[in-house]
Amino acid sequence: MIPWTLLDTAKIPGGGELRLKQRGQEFSIMLGTNELMNSRLSGSERALATLSCEKIKGRKAPHILIGGLGMGFTLRAALGELDADAKVTVAELVPAVVTWARGPMATVFDGCLDDPRVAIHEGDVRPLIRARKAAYDAILLDVDNGPDGITSEANDGLYDYQGLKAARDALRPGGVLAVWSSGPDERFTKRLRDSGFAAEVVNTRANGKTGARHVIWLAVKARS
């Protein structure tokens, strides 16, 4: 078997370190002993985008905010669903992840960062959510392993009641907040509904029909 090679490391603001590893054509991003993402497993990340885009289908010039660049699977899937008039803003907290996307993982990203619809923000997604009211048609969050995150304690502020209120305010009427998680969290489902969202829980697989079971919340803001 081909051994893993460590390509680079990157500090996470607030603590922790990411490690980018490669084995043949396969890439992995690790945090400690936890594998956060793998280039062979993209099904649930792509579903985060396709399910969200289905909720806002038919809107003119939609604006989507993606929290977490990862390996670009959510971004690429969104671009495949959206028309030329769409705008996609991607917030990535760790600048090295963007560097990896343009460097060693360029084949994985397949040029999607150069799509004219895409704007990259190197920084926390939270200020973008709080900066404007009714600015986005969809907010897609894949910044950690889920609402009970492991990457950064600061991410908890996205998923508490205050964070959910900010997300609801940032969405246009009928907009969707979509959240990826490595597992279920009934308390988060309750917080979504308590926060005024019509929340749906979708179970999906890491690689489409196979692999680990992941969860996606689709939380729609009321139109009135």
Side-chain angles (χ1 to χ4, degrees):
M1 179 177 290
I2 302 173
W4 284 103
T5 299
L6 178 64
L7 298 182
D8 198 9
T9 63
K11 296 293 184 182
I12 301 172
E17 183 180 77
L18 297 180
R19 290 177 290 131
L20 175 64
K21 300 168 67 178
Q22 182 177 7
R23 180 173 64 185
Q25 299 302 309
E26 178 183 1
F27 293 89
S28 174
I29 295 179
M30 304 282 295
L31 174 65
T33 59
N34 295 293
E35 184 176 62
L36 299 182
M37 58 203 78
N38 186 292
S39 60
R40 294 186 301 104
L41 305 173
S42 61
S44 59
E45 287 85 356
R46 288 186 282 109
L48 180 66
T50 56
L51 293 171
S52 300
C53 289
E54 182 64 28
K55 293 288 186 182
I56 61 169
K57 191 173 183 178
R59 294 193 178 203
K60 292 183 178 180
H63 188 181
I64 291 180
L65 173 62
I66 298 177
L69 175 61
M71 292 187 175
F73 296 122
T74 298
L75 172 59
R76 287 176 61 186
L79 293 174
E81 297 288 329
L82 297 168
D83 292 333
D85 63 353
K87 179 180 179 181
V88 182
T89 300
V90 183
E92 173 52 54
L93 182 64
V94 183
V97 173
V98 181
T99 301
W100 297 343
R102 296 189 183 278
M105 291 198 295
T107 55
V108 176
F109 279 80
D110 195 26
C112 67
L113 297 188
D114 298 319
D115 189 297
R117 295 171 290 178
V118 176
I120 301 295
H121 170 79
E122 293 187 5
D124 197 331
V125 70
R126 288 177 296 173
L128 299 185
I129 292 174
R130 295 170 179 168
R132 296 168 59 195
K133 306 296 184 183
Y136 306 106
D137 296 280
I139 299 173
L140 283 54
L141 297 180
D142 184 6
V143 300
D144 212 315
N145 263 25
D148 188 14
I150 62 170
T151 301
S152 172
E153 291 183 3
N155 288 335
D156 293 344
L158 288 166
Y159 307 115
D160 60 17
Y161 283 109
Q162 186 176 0
L164 293 178
K165 180 183 183 302
R168 189 188 67 219
D169 291 344
L171 286 168
R172 294 167 181 157
V176 60
L177 169 66
V179 178
W180 182 96
S181 176
S182 62
D185 188 331
E186 293 182 2
R187 293 173 300 175
F188 182 60
T189 304
K190 182 178 185 301
R191 287 202 300 276
L192 283 169
R193 291 169 177 163
D194 289 345
S195 299
F197 287 103
E200 175 187 358
V201 182
V202 178
N203 295 300
T204 185
R205 292 279 194 171
N207 207 23
K209 296 182 179 180
T210 61
R213 296 180 183 273
H214 294 158
V215 174
I216 295 171
W217 285 271
L218 298 170
V220 177
K221 176 180 177 178
R223 289 187 174 274
S224 57

